[in-house]
Amino acid sequence: MSKSRLMYLPLGGAGEIGMNCYVYGYGPEHAERLIVVDLGVTFPDMDGTPGVDLILPDVSWLEERRNQIDGIFITHAHEDHVGAVGHLFERLGAPIYARAFTANIARRKMSEHGYSENTVTTVKPWPETVKAGPFEVGFVPISHSIPESSGLVIDSKGGRVLHTGDFKIDTDPGVGEAFDHDLWAGLAKDGVKALVCDSTNVFSTSEGRSESLVGPEIEKFLANASGMVAATTFASNIARVRTIAQAAERAGRSVCLLGRSMRRMVEAATEVGILTDFPTVISAEDVGSVPRENVLLLVTGSQGERRAASAQLANGKYMGITMKEGDTFLFSSKTIPGNEKGVIRIMNQFSEMGVDVVDDNGGLYHVSGHANRPDLETMRDLIKPQTLIPMHGEHRHLREHVKISEAAGVQGILAVNGMMIDLSGNQPKVAEYIETGRTYLDGSVKIGQFDGIVRDRIRMALNGHVVVTLIIDENDEPLGDPWCEVMGLPETGRNNAPLIDVLEEDLSQFLNRANDKTLRDDVKLEKELRTITRRTTQSEIGKKAEVTVVISRLS
């Protein structure tokens, strides 16, 4: 039997921010027992993935080894860590473990996909552990921007691995557990094989700021605001949601929650006992009966999402509520890179209404949930791992994290999605490369990143589309002229004639001179009709349209 090895394999979240999915294995080479840490999603954009609803990690490698999976462990309830559990459970089939708040959210997602709530097991925090094959896994409380975030202790005969999950060092987070230096230092007293560590804010060299600093600033802001106020933040940032709601109550404003995820997060936090002092809320229907200056709307859509409550309000109305001149809209959040266009669009729409827009304003109304460089260095120095493996970051974040680790005398290894790392022995090494990618949720169907569907959609969006229809009679002769239908193209081209007329004329001329052999060969005929159509659109409008040719033969 081959020697057992301890391995680490990221399938999402390493080389990108979002779509977290990490695999740990222990056992004989190629026959390891496996555990999965997090099953998250990332979100599409209209430029690169038009029409796509969600983006999931490609778990084909795991699916082929589903009989080797002993458990799925979810560190916290952010969508980029838990959002794919319902979508991918059928393919993996392993039990899911999480702490109470995260388990509540995970059960809701499983229920939405028709699975029993018993597929999710609630686990108490460290020192309680879960036995999963050769692994003992414990959930260690850590501060982040959502309640009950946890790092993981992953023990096996191959050594101890600490997986931080998303974290910051905050000793006064408001909601959720404070960072406990002694607890984390104690985990490392007998040695740690590897620290797999959040890298999001590695380039931020200032000290991390506590959530407790935001509350007083928001209270000042609400005390001076006039008219109706709407505030948006990440719905999962329960501490911030609570801070805003309590500040509103003290300012004499009634709180209304708008957006499904906002209501769901508050309900979940209340159900598990995390929120015990949240102000009484009013319904959207009751907002109209309260003076505008006594209303605060807490809304979803801090990242410019088109279907969220903030975007609907910016478009004019949401659930019967409208914003007007003299009202104020507060972004108590940081815009994630890539979402700037959507956020700016909403800001300008509100501005056109006469609504005052206030953003993060230099950190007054928002603090990050991720550790800045000094906090990352503190964590490394507490744990003193044999090896540091950065995760949860773009390639430049991972590379920088390795550099600062090695400068401090701790060996690091840069592992991106698909790079399997063998942690056996004293020197980590790349064992093999796994093909990874993304799965798109497109409507109700899951499609592969490289299936060509989204690529074709982009090409149609860029170049327009022409459908050419031709009927061939039983004598292999065209029955009348071909006709065209166009979508996404100008009506007239360079010659100021209707584009459809020019296309049909060019196609008819070709058919009039086509020989019998071509007219009998559908493959050749389709190729020629497509080529002529693209050549004509290029000449007339400067774009080679996408073309579909339909040939019908009468028998």
Side-chain angles (χ1 to χ4, degrees):
M1 179 180 289
S2 62
K3 183 180 177 181
S4 291
R5 66 176 180 176
L6 176 65
M7 51 80 81
Y8 162 77
L9 170 65
L11 296 178
E16 63 188 343
I17 295 177
M19 202 179 73
N20 293 276
C21 180
Y22 309 93
V23 182
Y24 292 90
Y26 183 77
E29 187 173 335
H30 302 306
E32 295 93 347
R33 301 303 302 179
L34 307 173
I35 60 171
V36 181
V37 174
D38 291 334
L39 275 177
V41 301
T42 192
F43 297 95
D45 61 79
M46 287 301 292
D47 292 333
T49 47
V52 172
D53 295 282
L54 276 179
I55 302 176
L56 320 171
D58 181 357
V59 295
S60 300
W61 185 89
L62 274 174
E63 186 177 16
E64 292 169 1
R65 295 159 179 80
R66 61 178 289 159
N67 293 331
Q68 296 169 233
I69 305 173
D70 290 310
I72 299 168
F73 295 82
I74 309 299
T75 59
H76 63 284
H78 277 147
E79 285 295 297
D80 62 331
H81 294 259
V82 72
V85 289
H87 296 288
L88 297 177
F89 179 75
E90 183 178 11
R91 298 176 61 186
L92 304 180
I96 299 168
Y97 300 96
R99 292 183 63 193
F101 177 75
T102 306
N104 185 296
I105 299 299
R107 288 191 184 100
R108 291 169 186 245
K109 293 181 179 299
M110 297 298 283
S111 179
E112 289 170 2
H113 287 81
Y115 300 116
S116 167
E117 292 189 352
N118 295 331
T119 54
V120 181
T121 299
T122 300
V123 182
K124 292 180 180 178
W126 180 266
E128 181 171 307
T129 61
V130 174
K131 176 72 173 173
F135 293 102
E136 292 272 353
V137 182
F139 288 80
V140 185
I142 201 164
S143 47
H144 185 41
S145 56
I146 191 170
E148 292 189 349
S149 292
S150 298
L152 298 179
V153 173
I154 303 172
D155 285 332
S156 69
K157 290 182 179 179
R160 170 166 286 187
V161 175
L162 295 183
H163 182 105
T164 68
D166 294 2
F167 83 99
K168 65 182 295 186
I169 294 179
D170 190 344
T171 56
D172 188 11
V175 175
E177 295 109 336
F179 186 84
D180 187 333
H181 289 75
D182 293 338
L183 172 61
W184 280 88
L187 298 174
K189 68 181 187 303
D190 295 324
V192 171
K193 169 74 71 172
L195 174 65
V196 182
C197 191
D198 183 0
S199 305
T200 311
N201 285 348
V202 68
F203 289 109
S204 298
T205 56
S206 60
E207 293 285 342
R209 297 172 65 239
S210 171
E211 182 67 29
S212 62
L213 299 176
V214 177
E217 297 298 337
I218 290 178
E219 286 196 31
K220 291 179 192 175
F221 169 80
L222 289 177
N224 294 321
S226 59
M228 182 185 289
V229 175
T232 186
T233 188
F234 299 99
S236 57
N237 191 343
I238 297 298
R240 185 74 46 76
V241 170
R242 171 177 170 266
T243 293
I244 295 171
Q246 290 182 339
E249 185 178 48
R250 284 191 285 271
R253 292 179 181 268
S254 298
V255 177
C256 175
L257 304 178
L258 295 180
R260 182 185 176 202
S261 62
M262 187 69 71
R263 295 191 301 272
R264 183 173 58 188
M265 285 292 176
V266 171
E267 288 170 4
T270 303
E271 285 176 10
V272 300
I274 291 171
L275 273 183
T276 58
D277 53 358
F278 199 80
T280 302
V281 299
I282 62 173
S283 67
E285 291 78 14
D286 292 334
V287 168
S289 62
V290 179
R292 299 184 72 79
E293 64 273 14
N294 296 128
V295 173
L296 177 116
L297 310 175
L298 253 173
V299 306
T300 56
S302 66
Q303 300 305 303
E305 301 95 321
R306 288 179 177 272
R307 289 181 288 186
S310 59
Q312 299 294 333
L313 285 170
N315 286 333
K317 182 180 290 189
Y318 182 70
M319 297 187 71
I321 300 172
T322 59
M323 298 198 72
K324 300 178 181 178
E325 185 169 356
D327 292 342
T328 305
F329 193 96
L330 170 66
F331 283 87
S332 180
S333 55
K334 179 182 178 181
T335 303
I336 296 172
N339 295 338
E340 294 90 349
K341 286 184 180 179
V343 172
I344 291 171
R345 182 186 67 249
I346 289 173
M347 288 181 172
N348 282 316
Q349 285 177 296
F350 279 130
S351 182
E352 290 169 6
M353 296 177 185
V355 174
D356 293 326
V357 178
V358 179
D359 62 13
D360 179 32
N361 198 20
L364 280 180
Y365 309 121
H366 176 71
V367 294
S368 175
H370 293 272
N372 290 353
R373 182 178 298 201
D375 289 354
L376 296 175
E377 293 174 330
T378 296
M379 175 63 86
R380 181 199 64 222
D381 294 342
L382 276 176
I383 303 304
K384 299 179 177 64
Q386 185 180 91
T387 300
L388 184 139
I389 307 176
M391 54 95 180
H392 201 287
E394 298 167 0
H395 193 281
R396 63 193 181 96
H397 297 100
L398 307 187
R399 185 167 178 264
E400 182 70 10
H401 203 167
V402 167
K403 287 169 65 177
I404 65 171
S405 175
E406 293 184 338
V410 176
Q411 69 180 355
I413 186 166
L414 197 163
V416 296
N417 294 340
M419 190 180 291
M420 182 187 291
I421 305 299
D422 184 347
L423 294 173
S424 306
N426 296 321
Q427 186 71 40
K429 61 184 178 181
V430 179
E432 57 185 293
Y433 294 90
I434 305 302
E435 185 174 333
T436 60
R438 298 178 165 202
T439 299
Y440 296 150
L441 180 65
D442 195 48
S444 59
V445 179
K446 297 181 183 70
I447 60 176
Q449 177 182 2
F450 302 112
D451 287 357
I453 296 168
V454 173
R455 180 195 63 214
D456 289 345
R457 189 176 295 161
I458 293 171
R459 287 166 61 180
M460 286 189 286
L462 292 173
N463 301 314
H465 187 230
V466 180
V467 178
V468 179
T469 304
L470 175 65
I471 299 176
I472 305 291
D473 67 19
E474 58 272 14
N475 298 317
D476 293 325
E477 293 289 335
L479 187 63
D481 295 325
W483 69 92
C484 298
E485 299 172 75
V486 302
M487 294 184 66
L489 295 171
E491 291 185 4
T492 59
R494 179 172 56 85
N495 294 318
N496 293 321
L499 179 60
I500 289 178
D501 291 352
V502 177
L503 285 167
E504 292 176 350
E505 176 63 27
D506 287 354
L507 293 169
S508 295
Q509 288 183 16
F510 159 72
L511 289 172
N512 288 336
R513 62 177 182 268
N515 58 39
D516 292 343
K517 183 178 180 181
T518 298
L519 292 174
R520 286 194 298 268
D521 186 341
D522 281 1
V523 173
K524 186 173 183 180
L525 186 55
E526 180 180 332
K527 180 181 178 182
E528 293 289 349
L529 292 173
R530 178 178 290 105
T531 298
I532 292 166
T533 301
R534 299 194 75 198
R535 186 187 303 139
T536 300
T537 57
Q538 174 67 36
S539 173
E540 286 293 310
I541 63 172
K543 286 181 177 289
K544 289 185 178 180
E546 300 302 303
V547 181
T548 299
V549 177
V550 180
I551 300 173
S552 299
R553 290 187 177 271
L554 302 178
S555 55

